[in-house]
Amino acid sequence: MSEEFPSALSRREFLKRAGASGVAVAAGTFGRAAAGAGGGTPEQVHLTWGADPSSEVVVSWCTVEAAVNPRVHYGPTPALGRIVPAETRRYVDGLSGETVICHHARLSGLAPASTVHYAVTADNDAKQDRPFAAGFVTAPRERRGFRFTSYGDLATPNTQWTISSPQARHAIVAVERFAPLFHLLNGDLCYANLNPTAQPAVWRDFGDNVEPSAARRPWMPCPGNHEIEFNNGAQGYGGYLARYALPANGTRFPGRWYAFRVGGVLFVSLDANDVVHQDCGPLVNGPRPLVPALNAGQPPIAPGTALYVRGYSGGEQTRWLEQTLRAARADAGLDWIVVQMHEDAMSSSDPGNGSDKGIREAWLPLFDTYGVDLVLCGHDHDYERTFPVRGRHHDTGRDVATGEPVDTLQPIPLVREDPADGVYDSPQGAIHLVLGGGGTGAPLGVYGRDPQSGAPLAKVFTKRNAPRPGAKPGTFMRAKADAVEAAIWSARRDTESAYGIAVFDVHYDETPGMTSITLSYWHTVGAVPTGDYELFEKIVLRKKRKDALRNSS
């Protein structure tokens, strides 16, 4: 891959990609809109992979009012010869009382590694004469090279909302400049739950912002702590689950976690809110209760109330994860395993949350056993990369209050410095990445340090939140990280820029019987929001293809 940042899209071209995207639609193809109606006009259009990314893609969108006969026309050419009706999901936001209407059309039977044109409309679409139209490329079925990108913590560019940033617009353009097959969005999509009186409006700003990219290539999310919303269904995920139609997981908890396969790579998306010790959900700080709008039909929410969802699956997610990883290890066609989640097993950010022992307890042993290669996270708003890690040290942390030893399950790095050529021969353990600078950013260069030795330190959550004494059920004391440990696993941290995007190129057959993944991390130039990016670092993971290993044994 060239180390020059791809040339900038013009604003006109970028916005055009949210519209026709070169797809010609004959006038009158879609019938006549209902007289005086336009509430079924699509907005916030985005794509996700279906059960098999080589043959199925889901087109999703929202409408202001109920859509009449919502549907997608699609085909391998702009003639768009096939039609599929949409499934409609709706919910009433539990704080504003606003009804949100979302639609999902599943496009199946597609050819692998092929271009598909589509158009979205309804009988009451005000733009039926020229409906929203775009195109995408399906995934390859066989082992072949492809590109994907990733970051987390995006937000919206509308700075009237809490935790929003102008950088969110630049981050969307960055995805398009690198033109991946798909993008992984590692949680904390828009921070709607920090704007409790306007959650649907924040989601709408987010959806409109990402549309120019997400309508052209699948954006595959995982839930972050800010996807948890008061009064919006189980675990507070009503808003998230209404908007995203994600691959099935065969459990009682659809949409929270899933897996999909592209060629020789398995991608596993997890909900870390289920296992982390830290309390990351919404909290009513007080001193007054949070009072939902009258039409929401919900009682006031008392000060101190938090949505703390740790353990909600009763271990079902972890059992699913082990079954999925075990099957992947036995599959001769799978060479790589990439995991995404929101919270971090390892982070030495000082203004951020730091590390969480809950992930280390529940999932890191499975990553070791079944050979996970990459773990992509967000949560802390910076960039940090670990060395390959496997196993754990015991009793190497210390309590921040007493100084007593604490078992943080400190991950063990298998090397203590990067190879001179930047090439890691795998499998050596999993490399974890903190990619939390999509649209938000932490203060630069603020990482934990031992005050005496100056060695890197990491905060660690080792205890779950405790209920607030004498308070009603559901109210908690929001704890801070209770322990610290030496960050011996930390390989590289970006102290120059708060924002960036990770680009991954999967390669095959550069050397017979070998495969590799090149990680290029690009960060913005300067400490303020900008559309200019430069290469911060590049490493390569390399290994024998699994079929080559079996043929040689």
Side-chain angles (χ1 to χ4, degrees), residues 140-144 146 260-266 327-337 506 508 515 543-550:
R141 184 166 292 162
E142 72 280 4
R143 284 179 167 102
R144 62 186 287 184
F146 64 92
F260 63 91
R261 175 178 183 163
V262 177
V265 186
L266 180 70
R329 184 167 184 176
D331 189 332
L334 284 172
D335 304 304
W336 301 97
I337 302 175
V506 179
Y508 279 98
T515 177
K543 65 164 66 170
K544 279 191 175 181
R545 292 168 48 149
K546 200 178 286 184
D547 55 351
L549 280 172
R550 296 193 176 188

PDB file of all heavy atoms in Angstrom, residues 140-144 146 260-266 327-337 506 508 515 543-550:
ATOM      1  N   PRO A 140     -15.385 -11.333  -1.106  1.00  0.00           N
ATOM      2  CA  PRO A 140     -14.939 -12.547  -1.793  1.00  0.00           C
ATOM      3  C   PRO A 140     -15.301 -13.787  -0.984  1.00  0.00           C
ATOM      4  O   PRO A 140     -15.409 -13.727   0.243  1.00  0.00           O
ATOM      5  CB  PRO A 140     -13.426 -12.376  -1.869  1.00  0.00           C
ATOM      6  CG  PRO A 140     -13.091 -11.520  -0.687  1.00  0.00           C
ATOM      7  CD  PRO A 140     -14.262 -10.577  -0.540  1.00  0.00           C
ATOM      8  N   ARG A 141     -15.492 -14.904  -1.647  1.00  0.00           N
ATOM      9  CA  ARG A 141     -15.776 -16.150  -0.938  1.00  0.00           C
ATOM     10  C   ARG A 141     -14.498 -16.942  -0.682  1.00  0.00           C
ATOM     11  O   ARG A 141     -14.343 -17.591   0.335  1.00  0.00           O
ATOM     12  CB  ARG A 141     -16.766 -16.986  -1.735  1.00  0.00           C
ATOM     13  CG  ARG A 141     -17.208 -18.269  -1.047  1.00  0.00           C
ATOM     14  CD  ARG A 141     -18.427 -18.849  -1.735  1.00  0.00           C
ATOM     15  NE  ARG A 141     -19.594 -17.988  -1.542  1.00  0.00           N
ATOM     16  CZ  ARG A 141     -20.689 -18.050  -2.298  1.00  0.00           C
ATOM     17  NH1 ARG A 141     -20.747 -18.906  -3.308  1.00  0.00           N
ATOM     18  NH2 ARG A 141     -21.709 -17.243  -2.065  1.00  0.00           N
ATOM     19  N   GLU A 142     -13.554 -16.847  -1.621  1.00  0.00           N
ATOM     20  CA  GLU A 142     -12.327 -17.612  -1.486  1.00  0.00           C
ATOM     21  C   GLU A 142     -11.254 -16.761  -0.812  1.00  0.00           C
ATOM     22  O   GLU A 142     -11.455 -15.578  -0.527  1.00  0.00           O
ATOM     23  CB  GLU A 142     -11.855 -18.093  -2.861  1.00  0.00           C
ATOM     24  CG  GLU A 142     -11.286 -16.995  -3.753  1.00  0.00           C
ATOM     25  CD  GLU A 142     -12.342 -16.155  -4.437  1.00  0.00           C
ATOM     26  OE1 GLU A 142     -13.552 -16.362  -4.184  1.00  0.00           O
ATOM     27  OE2 GLU A 142     -11.975 -15.272  -5.224  1.00  0.00           O
ATOM     28  N   ARG A 143     -10.101 -17.384  -0.534  1.00  0.00           N
ATOM     29  CA  ARG A 143      -8.972 -16.643   0.018  1.00  0.00           C
ATOM     30  C   ARG A 143      -8.446 -15.665  -1.034  1.00  0.00           C
ATOM     31  O   ARG A 143      -7.942 -16.069  -2.078  1.00  0.00           O
ATOM     32  CB  ARG A 143      -7.842 -17.606   0.400  1.00  0.00           C
ATOM     33  CG  ARG A 143      -8.050 -18.406   1.669  1.00  0.00           C
ATOM     34  CD  ARG A 143      -6.849 -19.305   1.859  1.00  0.00           C
ATOM     35  NE  ARG A 143      -6.770 -19.902   3.173  1.00  0.00           N
ATOM     36  CZ  ARG A 143      -7.117 -21.157   3.448  1.00  0.00           C
ATOM     37  NH1 ARG A 143      -7.628 -21.922   2.472  1.00  0.00           N
ATOM     38  NH2 ARG A 143      -6.973 -21.651   4.659  1.00  0.00           N
ATOM     39  N   ARG A 144      -8.561 -14.399  -0.745  1.00  0.00           N
ATOM     40  CA  ARG A 144      -8.001 -13.358  -1.599  1.00  0.00           C
ATOM     41  C   ARG A 144      -7.876 -12.094  -0.775  1.00  0.00           C
ATOM     42  O   ARG A 144      -8.481 -11.951   0.289  1.00  0.00           O
ATOM     43  CB  ARG A 144      -8.857 -13.128  -2.849  1.00  0.00           C
ATOM     44  CG  ARG A 144     -10.263 -12.665  -2.572  1.00  0.00           C
ATOM     45  CD  ARG A 144     -11.092 -12.608  -3.835  1.00  0.00           C
ATOM     46  NE  ARG A 144     -10.720 -11.489  -4.687  1.00  0.00           N
ATOM     47  CZ  ARG A 144     -11.360 -11.192  -5.814  1.00  0.00           C
ATOM     48  NH1 ARG A 144     -12.354 -11.951  -6.240  1.00  0.00           N
ATOM     49  NH2 ARG A 144     -10.998 -10.149  -6.537  1.00  0.00           N
ATOM     50  N   PHE A 146      -8.079  -8.235   0.644  1.00  0.00           N
ATOM     51  CA  PHE A 146      -9.081  -7.186   0.776  1.00  0.00           C
ATOM     52  C   PHE A 146      -8.623  -6.220   1.860  1.00  0.00           C
ATOM     53  O   PHE A 146      -7.665  -6.478   2.590  1.00  0.00           O
ATOM     54  CB  PHE A 146     -10.463  -7.764   1.110  1.00  0.00           C
ATOM     55  CG  PHE A 146     -10.553  -8.470   2.449  1.00  0.00           C
ATOM     56  CD1 PHE A 146     -10.936  -7.787   3.597  1.00  0.00           C
ATOM     57  CD2 PHE A 146     -10.245  -9.826   2.551  1.00  0.00           C
ATOM     58  CE1 PHE A 146     -11.017  -8.436   4.822  1.00  0.00           C
ATOM     59  CE2 PHE A 146     -10.333 -10.488   3.764  1.00  0.00           C
ATOM     60  CZ  PHE A 146     -10.714  -9.783   4.907  1.00  0.00           C
ATOM     61  N   PHE A 260     -18.886 -12.886  11.361  1.00  0.00           N
ATOM     62  CA  PHE A 260     -19.023 -13.019   9.913  1.00  0.00           C
ATOM     63  C   PHE A 260     -17.656 -13.362   9.334  1.00  0.00           C
ATOM     64  O   PHE A 260     -16.611 -13.118   9.949  1.00  0.00           O
ATOM     65  CB  PHE A 260     -19.603 -11.757   9.262  1.00  0.00           C
ATOM     66  CG  PHE A 260     -18.748 -10.518   9.417  1.00  0.00           C
ATOM     67  CD1 PHE A 260     -17.805 -10.188   8.456  1.00  0.00           C
ATOM     68  CD2 PHE A 260     -18.917  -9.677  10.510  1.00  0.00           C
ATOM     69  CE1 PHE A 260     -17.026  -9.043   8.591  1.00  0.00           C
ATOM     70  CE2 PHE A 260     -18.147  -8.533  10.659  1.00  0.00           C
ATOM     71  CZ  PHE A 260     -17.198  -8.215   9.693  1.00  0.00           C
ATOM     72  N   ARG A 261     -17.683 -13.919   8.140  1.00  0.00           N
ATOM     73  CA  ARG A 261     -16.458 -14.416   7.509  1.00  0.00           C
ATOM     74  C   ARG A 261     -16.257 -13.747   6.168  1.00  0.00           C
ATOM     75  O   ARG A 261     -17.184 -13.658   5.355  1.00  0.00           O
ATOM     76  CB  ARG A 261     -16.572 -15.933   7.332  1.00  0.00           C
ATOM     77  CG  ARG A 261     -15.437 -16.579   6.580  1.00  0.00           C
ATOM     78  CD  ARG A 261     -15.661 -18.075   6.537  1.00  0.00           C
ATOM     79  NE  ARG A 261     -14.568 -18.775   5.885  1.00  0.00           N
ATOM     80  CZ  ARG A 261     -14.376 -20.077   6.014  1.00  0.00           C
ATOM     81  NH1 ARG A 261     -15.207 -20.814   6.760  1.00  0.00           N
ATOM     82  NH2 ARG A 261     -13.368 -20.662   5.405  1.00  0.00           N
ATOM     83  N   VAL A 262     -15.042 -13.287   5.917  1.00  0.00           N
ATOM     84  CA  VAL A 262     -14.659 -12.764   4.603  1.00  0.00           C
ATOM     85  C   VAL A 262     -13.426 -13.541   4.153  1.00  0.00           C
ATOM     86  O   VAL A 262     -12.349 -13.408   4.746  1.00  0.00           O
ATOM     87  CB  VAL A 262     -14.362 -11.262   4.651  1.00  0.00           C
ATOM     88  CG1 VAL A 262     -13.892 -10.770   3.289  1.00  0.00           C
ATOM     89  CG2 VAL A 262     -15.594 -10.474   5.103  1.00  0.00           C
ATOM     90  N   GLY A 263     -13.589 -14.389   3.154  1.00  0.00           N
ATOM     91  CA  GLY A 263     -12.475 -15.201   2.685  1.00  0.00           C
ATOM     92  C   GLY A 263     -11.894 -16.051   3.805  1.00  0.00           C
ATOM     93  O   GLY A 263     -12.601 -16.839   4.441  1.00  0.00           O
ATOM     94  N   GLY A 264     -10.616 -15.875   4.076  1.00  0.00           N
ATOM     95  CA  GLY A 264      -9.942 -16.649   5.110  1.00  0.00           C
ATOM     96  C   GLY A 264      -9.867 -15.972   6.456  1.00  0.00           C
ATOM     97  O   GLY A 264      -9.050 -16.359   7.303  1.00  0.00           O
ATOM     98  N   VAL A 265     -10.718 -14.953   6.688  1.00  0.00           N
ATOM     99  CA  VAL A 265     -10.676 -14.199   7.948  1.00  0.00           C
ATOM    100  C   VAL A 265     -12.041 -14.273   8.633  1.00  0.00           C
ATOM    101  O   VAL A 265     -13.071 -14.011   8.005  1.00  0.00           O
ATOM    102  CB  VAL A 265     -10.304 -12.719   7.711  1.00  0.00           C
ATOM    103  CG1 VAL A 265     -10.115 -12.004   9.046  1.00  0.00           C
ATOM    104  CG2 VAL A 265      -9.042 -12.610   6.862  1.00  0.00           C
ATOM    105  N   LEU A 266     -12.031 -14.615   9.924  1.00  0.00           N
ATOM    106  CA  LEU A 266     -13.252 -14.582  10.731  1.00  0.00           C
ATOM    107  C   LEU A 266     -13.238 -13.326  11.582  1.00  0.00           C
ATOM    108  O   LEU A 266     -12.252 -13.032  12.274  1.00  0.00           O
ATOM    109  CB  LEU A 266     -13.331 -15.802  11.653  1.00  0.00           C
ATOM    110  CG  LEU A 266     -14.595 -15.845  12.529  1.00  0.00           C
ATOM    111  CD1 LEU A 266     -15.830 -16.135  11.685  1.00  0.00           C
ATOM    112  CD2 LEU A 266     -14.454 -16.872  13.650  1.00  0.00           C
ATOM    113  N   ALA A 327     -14.767 -23.649  16.579  1.00  0.00           N
ATOM    114  CA  ALA A 327     -15.085 -24.015  15.200  1.00  0.00           C
ATOM    115  C   ALA A 327     -14.116 -23.354  14.219  1.00  0.00           C
ATOM    116  O   ALA A 327     -13.715 -23.968  13.222  1.00  0.00           O
ATOM    117  CB  ALA A 327     -16.522 -23.621  14.876  1.00  0.00           C
ATOM    118  N   ALA A 328     -13.729 -22.121  14.500  1.00  0.00           N
ATOM    119  CA  ALA A 328     -12.802 -21.415  13.612  1.00  0.00           C
ATOM    120  C   ALA A 328     -11.433 -22.077  13.606  1.00  0.00           C
ATOM    121  O   ALA A 328     -10.792 -22.204  12.554  1.00  0.00           O
ATOM    122  CB  ALA A 328     -12.673 -19.960  14.047  1.00  0.00           C
ATOM    123  N   ARG A 329     -10.999 -22.512  14.759  1.00  0.00           N
ATOM    124  CA  ARG A 329      -9.682 -23.155  14.824  1.00  0.00           C
ATOM    125  C   ARG A 329      -9.675 -24.466  14.040  1.00  0.00           C
ATOM    126  O   ARG A 329      -8.657 -24.838  13.440  1.00  0.00           O
ATOM    127  CB  ARG A 329      -9.292 -23.412  16.274  1.00  0.00           C
ATOM    128  CG  ARG A 329      -7.897 -23.992  16.417  1.00  0.00           C
ATOM    129  CD  ARG A 329      -7.397 -23.945  17.837  1.00  0.00           C
ATOM    130  NE  ARG A 329      -6.030 -24.409  17.932  1.00  0.00           N
ATOM    131  CZ  ARG A 329      -5.313 -24.404  19.049  1.00  0.00           C
ATOM    132  NH1 ARG A 329      -5.842 -23.924  20.162  1.00  0.00           N
ATOM    133  NH2 ARG A 329      -4.074 -24.841  19.064  1.00  0.00           N
ATOM    134  N   ALA A 330     -10.809 -25.160  14.011  1.00  0.00           N
ATOM    135  CA  ALA A 330     -10.885 -26.440  13.302  1.00  0.00           C
ATOM    136  C   ALA A 330     -11.125 -26.277  11.816  1.00  0.00           C
ATOM    137  O   ALA A 330     -11.037 -27.257  11.066  1.00  0.00           O
ATOM    138  CB  ALA A 330     -11.994 -27.293  13.919  1.00  0.00           C
ATOM    139  N   ASP A 331     -11.421 -25.068  11.354  1.00  0.00           N
ATOM    140  CA  ASP A 331     -11.776 -24.814   9.960  1.00  0.00           C
ATOM    141  C   ASP A 331     -10.505 -24.577   9.141  1.00  0.00           C
ATOM    142  O   ASP A 331      -9.809 -23.572   9.329  1.00  0.00           O
ATOM    143  CB  ASP A 331     -12.700 -23.597   9.887  1.00  0.00           C
ATOM    144  CG  ASP A 331     -13.301 -23.397   8.509  1.00  0.00           C
ATOM    145  OD1 ASP A 331     -12.676 -23.794   7.513  1.00  0.00           O
ATOM    146  OD2 ASP A 331     -14.398 -22.819   8.432  1.00  0.00           O
ATOM    147  N   ALA A 332     -10.211 -25.482   8.230  1.00  0.00           N
ATOM    148  CA  ALA A 332      -8.997 -25.368   7.421  1.00  0.00           C
ATOM    149  C   ALA A 332      -9.021 -24.161   6.491  1.00  0.00           C
ATOM    150  O   ALA A 332      -7.978 -23.762   5.962  1.00  0.00           O
ATOM    151  CB  ALA A 332      -8.797 -26.638   6.606  1.00  0.00           C
ATOM    152  N   GLY A 333     -10.184 -23.561   6.280  1.00  0.00           N
ATOM    153  CA  GLY A 333     -10.281 -22.413   5.391  1.00  0.00           C
ATOM    154  C   GLY A 333     -10.089 -21.077   6.078  1.00  0.00           C
ATOM    155  O   GLY A 333     -10.099 -20.043   5.412  1.00  0.00           O
ATOM    156  N   LEU A 334      -9.938 -21.075   7.397  1.00  0.00           N
ATOM    157  CA  LEU A 334      -9.780 -19.824   8.146  1.00  0.00           C
ATOM    158  C   LEU A 334      -8.347 -19.686   8.651  1.00  0.00           C
ATOM    159  O   LEU A 334      -7.845 -20.553   9.376  1.00  0.00           O
ATOM    160  CB  LEU A 334     -10.748 -19.775   9.330  1.00  0.00           C
ATOM    161  CG  LEU A 334     -12.202 -19.467   8.990  1.00  0.00           C
ATOM    162  CD1 LEU A 334     -13.092 -19.633  10.212  1.00  0.00           C
ATOM    163  CD2 LEU A 334     -12.331 -18.046   8.430  1.00  0.00           C
ATOM    164  N   ASP A 335      -7.711 -18.576   8.298  1.00  0.00           N
ATOM    165  CA  ASP A 335      -6.328 -18.329   8.700  1.00  0.00           C
ATOM    166  C   ASP A 335      -6.213 -17.312   9.828  1.00  0.00           C
ATOM    167  O   ASP A 335      -5.268 -17.365  10.610  1.00  0.00           O
ATOM    168  CB  ASP A 335      -5.527 -17.815   7.503  1.00  0.00           C
ATOM    169  CG  ASP A 335      -5.586 -18.767   6.325  1.00  0.00           C
ATOM    170  OD1 ASP A 335      -5.238 -19.941   6.498  1.00  0.00           O
ATOM    171  OD2 ASP A 335      -6.013 -18.328   5.232  1.00  0.00           O
ATOM    172  N   TRP A 336      -7.141 -16.361   9.876  1.00  0.00           N
ATOM    173  CA  TRP A 336      -7.048 -15.240  10.819  1.00  0.00           C
ATOM    174  C   TRP A 336      -8.340 -15.117  11.617  1.00  0.00           C
ATOM    175  O   TRP A 336      -9.428 -15.365  11.094  1.00  0.00           O
ATOM    176  CB  TRP A 336      -6.819 -13.916  10.084  1.00  0.00           C
ATOM    177  CG  TRP A 336      -5.586 -13.860   9.255  1.00  0.00           C
ATOM    178  CD1 TRP A 336      -5.493 -14.086   7.905  1.00  0.00           C
ATOM    179  CD2 TRP A 336      -4.264 -13.546   9.696  1.00  0.00           C
ATOM    180  NE1 TRP A 336      -4.194 -13.925   7.485  1.00  0.00           N
ATOM    181  CE2 TRP A 336      -3.418 -13.595   8.562  1.00  0.00           C
ATOM    182  CE3 TRP A 336      -3.720 -13.226  10.941  1.00  0.00           C
ATOM    183  CZ2 TRP A 336      -2.048 -13.331   8.645  1.00  0.00           C
ATOM    184  CZ3 TRP A 336      -2.358 -12.957  11.015  1.00  0.00           C
ATOM    185  CH2 TRP A 336      -1.538 -13.024   9.881  1.00  0.00           C
ATOM    186  N   ILE A 337      -8.202 -14.653  12.872  1.00  0.00           N
ATOM    187  CA  ILE A 337      -9.358 -14.319  13.704  1.00  0.00           C
ATOM    188  C   ILE A 337      -9.160 -12.901  14.226  1.00  0.00           C
ATOM    189  O   ILE A 337      -8.160 -12.599  14.894  1.00  0.00           O
ATOM    190  CB  ILE A 337      -9.532 -15.287  14.887  1.00  0.00           C
ATOM    191  CG1 ILE A 337      -9.681 -16.730  14.390  1.00  0.00           C
ATOM    192  CG2 ILE A 337     -10.752 -14.889  15.729  1.00  0.00           C
ATOM    193  CD1 ILE A 337      -9.731 -17.760  15.506  1.00  0.00           C
ATOM    194  N   VAL A 506      -5.334  -7.291   4.006  1.00  0.00           N
ATOM    195  CA  VAL A 506      -5.144  -8.731   4.055  1.00  0.00           C
ATOM    196  C   VAL A 506      -4.539  -9.178   2.731  1.00  0.00           C
ATOM    197  O   VAL A 506      -5.063  -8.841   1.662  1.00  0.00           O
ATOM    198  CB  VAL A 506      -6.481  -9.452   4.301  1.00  0.00           C
ATOM    199  CG1 VAL A 506      -6.280 -10.969   4.337  1.00  0.00           C
ATOM    200  CG2 VAL A 506      -7.119  -8.969   5.602  1.00  0.00           C
ATOM    201  N   TYR A 508      -2.647 -12.375   0.317  1.00  0.00           N
ATOM    202  CA  TYR A 508      -2.426 -13.799   0.064  1.00  0.00           C
ATOM    203  C   TYR A 508      -1.452 -13.955  -1.091  1.00  0.00           C
ATOM    204  O   TYR A 508      -1.414 -13.122  -2.003  1.00  0.00           O
ATOM    205  CB  TYR A 508      -3.736 -14.514  -0.265  1.00  0.00           C
ATOM    206  CG  TYR A 508      -4.535 -14.879   0.963  1.00  0.00           C
ATOM    207  CD1 TYR A 508      -5.577 -14.079   1.397  1.00  0.00           C
ATOM    208  CD2 TYR A 508      -4.225 -16.015   1.706  1.00  0.00           C
ATOM    209  CE1 TYR A 508      -6.302 -14.400   2.532  1.00  0.00           C
ATOM    210  CE2 TYR A 508      -4.941 -16.352   2.840  1.00  0.00           C
ATOM    211  CZ  TYR A 508      -5.976 -15.540   3.249  1.00  0.00           C
ATOM    212  OH  TYR A 508      -6.668 -15.869   4.383  1.00  0.00           O
ATOM    213  N   THR A 515       0.284 -15.914   4.284  1.00  0.00           N
ATOM    214  CA  THR A 515      -0.704 -14.847   4.300  1.00  0.00           C
ATOM    215  C   THR A 515      -0.248 -13.793   5.296  1.00  0.00           C
ATOM    216  O   THR A 515       0.514 -14.093   6.231  1.00  0.00           O
ATOM    217  CB  THR A 515      -2.104 -15.383   4.663  1.00  0.00           C
ATOM    218  OG1 THR A 515      -3.031 -14.279   4.723  1.00  0.00           O
ATOM    219  CG2 THR A 515      -2.112 -16.079   6.007  1.00  0.00           C
ATOM    220  N   LYS A 543       1.890 -15.196   8.647  1.00  0.00           N
ATOM    221  CA  LYS A 543       1.825 -16.588   9.077  1.00  0.00           C
ATOM    222  C   LYS A 543       1.626 -17.502   7.874  1.00  0.00           C
ATOM    223  O   LYS A 543       1.293 -17.047   6.772  1.00  0.00           O
ATOM    224  CB  LYS A 543       0.686 -16.806  10.078  1.00  0.00           C
ATOM    225  CG  LYS A 543      -0.698 -16.585   9.474  1.00  0.00           C
ATOM    226  CD  LYS A 543      -1.814 -17.164  10.334  1.00  0.00           C
ATOM    227  CE  LYS A 543      -1.976 -16.478  11.648  1.00  0.00           C
ATOM    228  NZ  LYS A 543      -3.221 -16.918  12.358  1.00  0.00           N
ATOM    229  N   LYS A 544       1.804 -18.808   8.097  1.00  0.00           N
ATOM    230  CA  LYS A 544       1.483 -19.786   7.072  1.00  0.00           C
ATOM    231  C   LYS A 544      -0.025 -19.944   6.977  1.00  0.00           C
ATOM    232  O   LYS A 544      -0.723 -19.922   7.983  1.00  0.00           O
ATOM    233  CB  LYS A 544       2.117 -21.142   7.404  1.00  0.00           C
ATOM    234  CG  LYS A 544       3.575 -21.260   7.026  1.00  0.00           C
ATOM    235  CD  LYS A 544       4.032 -22.721   7.137  1.00  0.00           C
ATOM    236  CE  LYS A 544       5.462 -22.861   6.638  1.00  0.00           C
ATOM    237  NZ  LYS A 544       5.919 -24.286   6.704  1.00  0.00           N
ATOM    238  N   ARG A 545      -0.507 -20.102   5.741  1.00  0.00           N
ATOM    239  CA  ARG A 545      -1.911 -20.431   5.565  1.00  0.00           C
ATOM    240  C   ARG A 545      -2.207 -21.761   6.241  1.00  0.00           C
ATOM    241  O   ARG A 545      -1.363 -22.666   6.277  1.00  0.00           O
ATOM    242  CB  ARG A 545      -2.239 -20.528   4.077  1.00  0.00           C
ATOM    243  CG  ARG A 545      -2.176 -19.226   3.350  1.00  0.00           C
ATOM    244  CD  ARG A 545      -2.212 -19.389   1.849  1.00  0.00           C
ATOM    245  NE  ARG A 545      -3.259 -20.289   1.374  1.00  0.00           N
ATOM    246  CZ  ARG A 545      -3.871 -20.146   0.203  1.00  0.00           C
ATOM    247  NH1 ARG A 545      -3.561 -19.122  -0.580  1.00  0.00           N
ATOM    248  NH2 ARG A 545      -4.790 -21.009  -0.184  1.00  0.00           N
ATOM    249  N   LYS A 546      -3.412 -21.889   6.763  1.00  0.00           N
ATOM    250  CA  LYS A 546      -3.748 -23.113   7.487  1.00  0.00           C
ATOM    251  C   LYS A 546      -3.734 -24.339   6.575  1.00  0.00           C
ATOM    252  O   LYS A 546      -3.336 -25.427   6.986  1.00  0.00           O
ATOM    253  CB  LYS A 546      -5.112 -22.956   8.161  1.00  0.00           C
ATOM    254  CG  LYS A 546      -5.323 -23.939   9.303  1.00  0.00           C
ATOM    255  CD  LYS A 546      -6.669 -23.728   9.977  1.00  0.00           C
ATOM    256  CE  LYS A 546      -6.707 -22.501  10.835  1.00  0.00           C
ATOM    257  NZ  LYS A 546      -8.002 -22.363  11.555  1.00  0.00           N
ATOM    258  N   ASP A 547      -4.153 -24.161   5.322  1.00  0.00           N
ATOM    259  CA  ASP A 547      -4.106 -25.300   4.420  1.00  0.00           C
ATOM    260  C   ASP A 547      -2.673 -25.711   4.101  1.00  0.00           C
ATOM    261  O   ASP A 547      -2.367 -26.891   3.939  1.00  0.00           O
ATOM    262  CB  ASP A 547      -4.893 -25.018   3.144  1.00  0.00           C
ATOM    263  CG  ASP A 547      -4.442 -23.750   2.430  1.00  0.00           C
ATOM    264  OD1 ASP A 547      -3.640 -22.985   2.996  1.00  0.00           O
ATOM    265  OD2 ASP A 547      -4.895 -23.523   1.284  1.00  0.00           O
ATOM    266  N   ALA A 548      -1.756 -24.737   4.058  1.00  0.00           N
ATOM    267  CA  ALA A 548      -0.344 -25.058   3.836  1.00  0.00           C
ATOM    268  C   ALA A 548       0.247 -25.782   5.031  1.00  0.00           C
ATOM    269  O   ALA A 548       1.065 -26.694   4.886  1.00  0.00           O
ATOM    270  CB  ALA A 548       0.442 -23.785   3.543  1.00  0.00           C
ATOM    271  N   LEU A 549      -0.158 -25.375   6.230  1.00  0.00           N
ATOM    272  CA  LEU A 549       0.312 -26.050   7.438  1.00  0.00           C
ATOM    273  C   LEU A 549      -0.118 -27.511   7.436  1.00  0.00           C
ATOM    274  O   LEU A 549       0.657 -28.412   7.758  1.00  0.00           O
ATOM    275  CB  LEU A 549      -0.243 -25.350   8.686  1.00  0.00           C
ATOM    276  CG  LEU A 549       0.471 -24.087   9.151  1.00  0.00           C
ATOM    277  CD1 LEU A 549      -0.340 -23.428  10.263  1.00  0.00           C
ATOM    278  CD2 LEU A 549       1.874 -24.415   9.648  1.00  0.00           C
ATOM    279  N   ARG A 550      -1.366 -27.761   7.069  1.00  0.00           N
ATOM    280  CA  ARG A 550      -1.881 -29.128   7.091  1.00  0.00           C
ATOM    281  C   ARG A 550      -1.246 -29.981   6.002  1.00  0.00           C
ATOM    282  O   ARG A 550      -0.977 -31.162   6.198  1.00  0.00           O
ATOM    283  CB  ARG A 550      -3.404 -29.118   6.955  1.00  0.00           C
ATOM    284  CG  ARG A 550      -4.068 -28.441   8.139  1.00  0.00           C
ATOM    285  CD  ARG A 550      -5.550 -28.681   8.191  1.00  0.00           C
ATOM    286  NE  ARG A 550      -6.090 -28.084   9.411  1.00  0.00           N
ATOM    287  CZ  ARG A 550      -7.333 -28.254   9.833  1.00  0.00           C
ATOM    288  NH1 ARG A 550      -8.163 -29.009   9.142  1.00  0.00           N
ATOM    289  NH2 ARG A 550      -7.749 -27.682  10.941  1.00  0.00           N
TER     290      ARG A 550
END
